[in-house]
Amino acid sequence: MAPMRVLWLLQLGQSRRQGWPPNHAPEGMPSKISQQWKPGRAWLLLARIALANSLHFAPASTKRFRRLVNQYVVKLQMESYNMFSVIAMDRVSSVAEMEEENRDAMSTEQSSRSAKRRAKVREYVDTELVDGKEKAVCKFCKTHLSSVAGQGTTHLNRHIASYCREIPLEDRERFLATMKTKPNDGDQHVFDPAVFRGLIAKYFISAEIAFRKAEDPCWKEMINYCQPSFRIVGRQSVRGDCLLLYEEEKLILVDKIAKQKSHVSLTADLWSSNQNLGYLGVTAHFIDEEFELQKKIIAFKQVSYPHNSFAVQDGITSCLLEWELIDKIFTLTLDNASVNNRAMSEMRDALGSQMFFRGEHFHVRCGAHVLNIMVQSGLKVIPNAVGRIRDIIKVVISTPSRLQSFNAIVQTLGLKAKSGLVLDVPHRWNSTFDMLHEALKYKAALNRFAAEHFMSAPLDDDWAKVEALHGFLQEFSEATKAFSADRHPTAHLFLKMVLAIRVILLDEEWNSNELLNEIAFQKYWAQPNIVLLIAAVLDLTQKMDFIKFYLYTIGENAKVKMRELKQYMRRYYLEYEKVVRCQSVLVEVQDTSEDTFICSPSGQQLCGKRRVEFAFEQFASQNSSARTERSELDAYLEDPRVPKKVDESVNVLAWWKKNADAYPTLSLMARDFLAIPVSTVSSESAFSAAGRILGKNRTSLSPETLEALVCAKDWLIGFNDEEEGEPMTGKRMFDSEDSDDE
């Protein structure tokens, strides 16, 4: 075969570290380049050049040379490593002859190479003969290290990973990534495809990613690079894995709730999606054995049309049956729509006999929606003043030129320029508060803008009403934030916040304004739910003292109300006493059975001692019936309340956890009453997540899949309070109504 002439152009700097085992360079090699070569790296160098140009060649007439070159070509095809460039090559030999030789070389390489893989650290060192002994030479710091065949490469790994000071940081990190990590228990890590698929499903749920992204080429490339042996799954498989993960976590949560000694309070709300479908979101609230408040979304189901009281009742009932919560439900918080009130009345008639305390007080009205009704009543009194300001802001933000004109006025008046003004959303009074809060800052600029654009500017009387409304809404904004909290108990704070609003609104300064004269607030604080009164009593800083103060303040018959409250508290206490007694009997039976099972001739004395103790307890309880004892409830109510400073925060749950042994019945009672949510705002996290998951390009998701994704993310990851996203269409299916239906 005629020799090949090659025109070489190597990247200087890299070529200085390449070697050549023969003493002479191949034909066509420039002397300037060949003089820089050193033994030990010639085969790899030439193979990389060939790989960079996607060709196989024979630069010399020796068959061994061609075979070794092609060996490295095959090896480097897996690495896709391009370090050098060849500008041109003049091939003299025939293509057919070269392909035949390449096939021979490939077969020889496959048969000659052993299964043993070359250590990664060898790519970072060279080999040289020093005093007749082979040494490993670091490419970066030129340190000589021992290189004895069969003695391992641990010292080389340690040098490259830690001790070499010349190696670039990027190269060191790349090398560290190739080193195998050993688990703490010493067992060899084994890749499990099933576990990996579960992690992929968890990632898709957490990141709210569309299933079609599983077929994205870049995603496949990344997975294949991380684990080439993994069989990449498509979107249908990822969807199936997400549903399977949802079912597994659901079984765990069902078992966790079933084992709780306490009851469960629910919140529910209805929203409409961009699919024009109605969805019912149900959230469970309970306090666990560690006195930690838990919040879990347990249902996100489609509600069939028409969306009346029967649809609401059927949706909630199916959720209770699915989760086996009929006998564990304590309260259900809904907004103040008449549809919801009728649904709860019908549900109590149907399932009340199976509910705890026969469901007498299980329907709780959403405090935030009650506040919303009061605010909407106030907004109806002065619609013109708010409407004029809203119209001016609409014009300001309608076009960039008008916004620029407004900012020119703002700068002239010495105010701070704005990139845009806040415009409120109908039926969301908190957005109206934000709009008015900003409009009052730019009052002069808005008046001047309206005059320059021949618009009807608000009068001084209108601005006075807006200022009064702004202060009115500010008090409600703070109360709504307190009611909407779902990370700590809020039931015991309801009366205090309502009373604070009443005191401020009936102040002479406020009462002189026509806005507050035309709103009848009395009915909103005169008849609170009895369970919220009991929750306030179970606050160690309030007890009965605050209830008396509350009733005297609102002008109710305090003696009658207090007598009624004490009667209900004792009735509830007796019910919880039965629950605690039943649980104690079960524990004793289990302990007795275990002792009987483990008793042996050597343990007869211990078993006899326990029998004596049980007999004494029964005797003592029978003889103590004649004398009256102070119950836990009496002891708690007779003990003085714990005083606290103004604005001091007291952890009520921590106190009950600390005193659970002294008040075993009352502590269980406190877990239920303090877990009552006074607002359905906690359900909005589910609708916000659903709005992000559906999006504009993902509206084909089935309701079952959407429920699985929303619930699974809440159980596995939880929802971040800072996550953005409008809750579906941004409007409830039923607006809150001023309804007196029970």
Side-chain angles (χ1 to χ4, degrees):
M1 182 185 66
M4 229 185 192
R5 294 189 59 84
V6 183
L7 298 179
W8 309 85
L9 181 63
L10 307 177
Q11 294 180 355
L12 295 179
Q14 294 290 344
S15 62
R16 296 179 181 274
R17 295 173 183 169
Q18 312 308 318
W20 192 258
N23 295 326
H24 58 85
E27 297 182 4
M29 176 72 67
S31 59
K32 183 178 180 180
I33 301 299
S34 61
Q35 291 175 359
Q36 301 174 2
W37 283 24
K38 298 180 181 179
R41 298 291 290 175
W43 316 117
L44 185 59
L45 171 65
L46 196 56
R48 283 173 172 164
I49 295 172
L51 181 62
N53 293 268
S54 302
L55 49 86
H56 299 277
F57 59 93
S61 58
T62 61
K63 188 174 183 179
R64 176 175 176 272
F65 190 93
R66 295 194 302 270
R67 183 176 69 250
L68 292 176
V69 168
N70 284 282
Q71 288 177 8
Y72 278 98
V73 170
V74 174
K75 174 183 177 181
L76 292 176
Q77 283 176 340
M78 299 298 296
E79 298 180 359
S80 301
Y81 191 82
N82 185 2
M83 296 176 59
F84 306 95
S85 300
V86 176
I87 291 190
M89 175 174 287
D90 180 15
R91 246 191 282 196
V92 180
S93 59
S94 63
V95 176
E97 185 177 357
M98 287 188 61
E99 290 180 350
E100 181 179 356
E101 291 177 355
N102 289 335
R103 284 195 297 269
D104 294 340
M106 289 283 289
S107 61
T108 304
E109 185 271 338
Q110 294 176 359
S111 61
S112 62
R113 287 187 62 86
S114 63
K116 185 176 180 180
R117 298 180 59 183
R118 179 180 173 88
K120 292 290 184 181
V121 72
R122 294 294 182 183
E123 298 181 5
Y124 296 83
V125 297
D126 288 327
T127 57
E128 290 184 2
L129 288 176
V130 179
D131 298 332
K133 295 182 179 180
E134 185 177 1
K135 293 286 186 178
V137 182
C138 177
K139 292 183 178 181
F140 304 97
C141 64
K142 304 303 180 182
T143 301
H144 289 74
L145 304 168
S146 63
S147 178
V148 181
Q151 295 298 321
T153 58
T154 303
H155 62 297
L156 301 180
N157 292 335
R158 187 165 52 248
H159 175 78
I160 298 298
S162 304
Y163 297 115
C164 182
R165 299 182 179 181
E166 302 297 331
I167 183 173
L169 178 61
E170 182 179 356
D171 292 338
R172 189 192 300 276
E173 291 179 349
R174 187 183 302 112
F175 172 72
L176 292 174
T178 63
M179 298 180 66
K180 296 181 179 180
T181 57
K182 297 181 179 180
N184 295 331
D185 56 2
D187 297 336
Q188 186 68 25
H189 173 71
V190 179
F191 175 77
D192 190 342
V195 175
F196 190 54
R197 286 183 60 168
L199 293 175
I200 291 177
K202 185 177 180 180
Y203 171 72
F204 271 74
I205 292 173
S206 173
E208 300 172 357
I209 298 177
F211 296 138
R212 66 175 181 274
K213 296 298 182 180
E215 298 177 352
D216 186 272
C218 293
W219 167 265
K220 292 182 178 180
E221 181 181 3
M222 181 187 69
I223 297 298
N224 185 61
Y225 177 80
C226 294
Q227 184 53 252
S229 63
F230 178 71
R231 184 174 177 269
I232 300 178
V233 295
R235 58 179 180 178
Q236 293 298 333
S237 298
V238 173
R239 175 184 176 276
D241 293 341
C242 291
L243 295 178
L244 179 61
L245 187 58
Y246 159 74
E247 294 294 341
E248 292 175 352
E249 293 297 324
K250 182 178 180 180
L251 293 176
I252 296 175
L253 185 57
V254 168
D255 182 67
K256 180 179 180 180
I257 294 177
K259 291 181 179 179
Q260 293 293 322
K261 298 179 181 179
S262 60
H263 295 83
V264 177
S265 294
L266 304 179
T267 56
D269 208 349
L270 293 101
W271 289 69
S272 58
S273 71
N274 54 8
Q275 302 167 312
N276 293 324
L277 298 177
Y279 285 91
L280 172 68
V282 182
T283 306
H285 306 257
F286 60 93
I287 297 176
D288 59 18
E289 301 288 342
E290 298 297 325
F291 285 82
E292 296 289 340
L293 181 61
Q294 302 291 332
K295 178 183 75 75
K296 303 293 182 182
I297 300 173
I298 61 174
F300 194 82
K301 297 185 178 297
Q302 179 186 357
V303 180
S304 58
Y305 186 83
H307 302 141
N308 50 24
S309 61
F310 298 107
V312 176
Q313 179 186 358
D314 294 344
I316 296 177
T317 302
S318 65
C319 177
L320 296 179
L321 293 173
E322 182 180 353
W323 287 80
E324 301 177 356
L325 293 177
I326 294 181
D327 60 337
K328 290 186 71 69
I329 185 174
F330 187 61
T331 62
L332 176 59
T333 305
L334 293 170
D335 63 6
N336 201 36
S338 58
V339 171
N340 294 334
N341 296 334
R342 289 193 297 269
M344 293 302 97
S345 178
E346 294 164 356
M347 182 180 295
R348 187 188 300 115
D349 294 339
L351 302 175
S353 60
Q354 305 177 49
M355 294 181 180
F356 178 73
F357 212 76
R358 301 186 65 83
E360 188 170 347
H361 304 112
F362 93 107
H363 180 204
V364 177
R365 295 186 178 187
C366 175
H369 290 175
V370 172
L371 293 179
N372 184 60
I373 295 171
M374 300 169 68
V375 172
Q376 295 298 337
S377 300
L379 294 178
K380 292 178 182 178
V381 178
I382 50 173
N384 293 332
V386 177
R388 291 191 184 99
I389 294 177
R390 183 185 296 115
D391 293 340
I392 297 175
I393 293 177
K394 284 182 179 179
V395 175
V396 169
I397 65 176
S398 61
T399 62
S401 60
R402 290 174 177 173
L403 181 59
Q404 183 177 356
S405 176
F406 175 78
N407 281 327
I409 297 174
V410 168
Q411 294 177 356
T412 301
L413 297 175
L415 301 175
K416 185 178 179 180
K418 295 287 294 182
S419 59
L421 295 175
V422 177
L423 184 64
D424 65 341
V425 179
H427 307 295
R428 300 188 71 173
W429 65 266
N430 53 338
S431 64
T432 303
F433 168 73
D434 294 336
M435 181 186 72
L436 298 182
H437 182 74
E438 193 170 69
L440 289 173
K441 295 180 180 179
Y442 294 91
K443 172 182 175 180
L446 290 173
N447 285 335
R448 183 169 174 177
F449 180 88
E452 291 182 358
H453 289 76
F454 306 101
M455 299 179 62
S456 176
L459 303 176
D460 293 339
D461 185 56
D462 293 334
W463 282 110
K465 292 180 179 180
V466 167
E467 290 181 2
L469 181 60
H470 175 264
F472 174 82
L473 296 180
Q474 187 172 9
E475 301 299 332
F476 281 86
S477 177
E478 296 177 358
T480 300
K481 292 178 181 179
F483 289 160
S484 303
D486 57 9
R487 304 300 174 88
H488 54 80
T490 56
H492 63 294
L493 302 176
F494 179 80
L495 297 180
K496 186 175 292 186
M497 294 304 303
V498 170
L499 192 59
I501 292 175
R502 179 186 181 278
V503 171
I504 295 175
L505 295 181
L506 297 184
D507 187 84
E508 293 182 358
E509 179 181 355
W510 294 90
N511 199 29
S512 61
N513 189 283
E514 68 170 294
L515 167 66
L516 305 178
N517 283 330
E518 299 188 24
I519 304 177
F521 293 111
Q522 185 68 22
K523 58 184 177 181
Y524 297 113
W525 50 65
Q527 297 178 346
N529 195 313
I530 194 70
V531 295
L532 298 180
L533 293 175
I534 297 177
V537 174
L538 293 175
D539 183 349
L540 66 153
T541 64
Q542 300 184 43
K543 292 192 174 183
M544 284 293 186
D545 297 339
F546 185 82
I547 304 301
K548 293 179 183 178
F549 171 73
Y550 177 85
L551 295 175
Y552 279 117
T553 302
I554 64 176
E556 290 292 315
N557 191 336
K559 293 183 178 180
V560 176
K561 292 290 184 180
M562 289 296 295
R563 189 182 307 114
E564 180 184 0
L565 173 60
K566 290 181 179 179
Q567 290 176 354
Y568 273 115
M569 283 202 70
R570 295 193 180 279
R571 287 178 56 190
Y572 271 108
Y573 176 78
L574 292 176
E575 290 293 328
Y576 279 96
E577 204 172 37
K578 295 177 183 178
V579 174
V580 173
R581 190 181 301 115
C582 291
Q583 293 174 352
S584 300
V585 170
L586 291 176
V587 172
E588 290 179 1
V589 170
Q590 292 176 357
D591 292 342
T592 304
S593 61
E594 291 176 0
D595 292 340
T596 303
F597 177 76
I598 64 175
C599 271
S600 60
S602 61
Q604 290 179 355
Q605 184 178 0
L606 178 61
C607 293
K609 181 180 178 181
R610 293 183 65 87
R611 286 198 296 269
V612 171
E613 291 177 352
F614 288 145
F616 171 72
E617 291 295 336
Q618 293 176 357
F619 174 80
S621 62
Q622 292 173 359
N623 287 272
S624 63
S625 59
R627 65 178 185 272
T628 58
E629 292 184 356
R630 196 173 70 156
S631 66
E632 292 180 29
L633 180 60
D634 295 331
Y636 174 78
L637 295 179
E638 291 175 5
D639 291 341
R641 69 180 184 88
V642 178
K644 75 181 190 70
K645 299 179 181 179
V646 179
D647 297 331
E648 181 184 0
S649 178
V650 177
N651 192 334
V652 180
L653 293 182
W655 187 89
W656 280 108
K657 180 180 180 181
K658 181 180 179 180
N659 296 272
D661 294 336
Y663 302 103
T665 302
L666 273 182
S667 62
L668 180 61
M669 190 171 169
R671 286 169 59 184
D672 285 347
F673 281 90
L674 295 178
I676 299 174
V678 297
S679 170
T680 62
V681 177
S682 59
S683 299
E684 290 191 2
S685 60
F687 299 111
S688 298
R692 295 191 302 268
I693 292 172
L694 284 175
K696 297 180 180 179
N697 302 320
R698 208 182 178 189
T699 56
S700 60
L701 276 179
S702 64
E704 295 77 14
T705 304
L706 181 60
E707 179 185 25
L709 295 178
V710 172
C711 293
K713 180 173 182 180
D714 181 55
W715 303 339
L716 294 169
I717 310 297
F719 292 107
N720 188 351
D721 294 337
E722 298 179 354
E723 286 181 317
E724 298 180 354
E726 286 297 325
M728 310 204 61
T729 59
K731 97 185 222 184
R732 289 184 174 84
M733 193 176 300
F734 305 119
D735 292 331
S736 297
E737 302 171 5
D738 187 3
S739 175
D740 296 327
D741 297 340
E742 295 294 338

